[in-house]
Amino acid sequence: MTNSEEVKVTHRSTKDKDQLITRLKRIEGQVRGIQNMIENERYCVDILTQISAINAAMNKVGLQLLEKHTHHCVSDAIKDGNGEEAIHELMEVFKRFSKSQ
């Protein structure tokens, strides 16, 4: 990153931050569980089922972040006269997010 690049920050409530961290820690535990399943040569379908659960959990985290971003960051940008840039950025995020599904 160069000095001219702006680092954007989002301030979240303690409750929102705690909820996201709790979900991500749970997902992290699920990933470690899959590692153990592979080490213990568990049945492929069981592993794939766990991967599906992780993907669903990550999508839920992503959607929660997208919703908060839209209601706060994008909304504030529109109010401040920077709506076009914020909407363009949001659409790029939607494109990337939908590719990962």
Side-chain angles (χ1 to χ4, degrees):
M1 182 181 324
T2 65
N3 291 337
S4 63
E5 290 184 50
E6 179 184 349
V7 176
K8 295 182 180 182
V9 179
T10 300
H11 298 284
R12 294 176 180 83
S13 71
T14 302
K15 178 184 174 188
D16 287 342
K17 204 183 302 188
D18 289 346
Q19 285 177 340
L20 286 169
I21 290 170
T22 297
R23 282 185 183 199
L24 290 170
K25 285 182 179 181
R26 194 174 312 131
I27 292 166
E28 181 181 25
Q30 288 176 296
V31 171
R32 280 194 305 273
I34 289 174
Q35 290 170 339
N36 290 333
M37 292 173 80
I38 291 171
E39 287 172 359
N40 295 322
E41 299 181 0
R42 290 281 302 271
Y43 186 56
C44 296
V45 172
D46 293 340
I47 296 169
L48 292 168
T49 299
Q50 290 304 309
I51 290 171
S52 177
I54 290 169
N55 286 336
M58 285 299 294
N59 286 335
K60 193 168 183 176
V61 169
L63 287 172
Q64 181 181 353
L65 287 168
L66 277 169
E67 181 177 8
K68 293 287 184 180
H69 178 68
T70 304
H71 283 291
H72 297 285
C73 302
V74 175
S75 177
D76 290 347
I78 290 169
K79 290 174 191 170
D80 293 341
N82 299 316
E84 288 300 317
E85 180 183 336
I87 291 169
H88 175 74
E89 179 185 57
L90 179 63
M91 294 311 299
E92 291 301 314
V93 169
F94 272 121
K95 288 175 190 174
R96 280 183 295 210
F97 190 74
S98 64
K99 284 181 184 178
S100 69
Q101 309 258 331

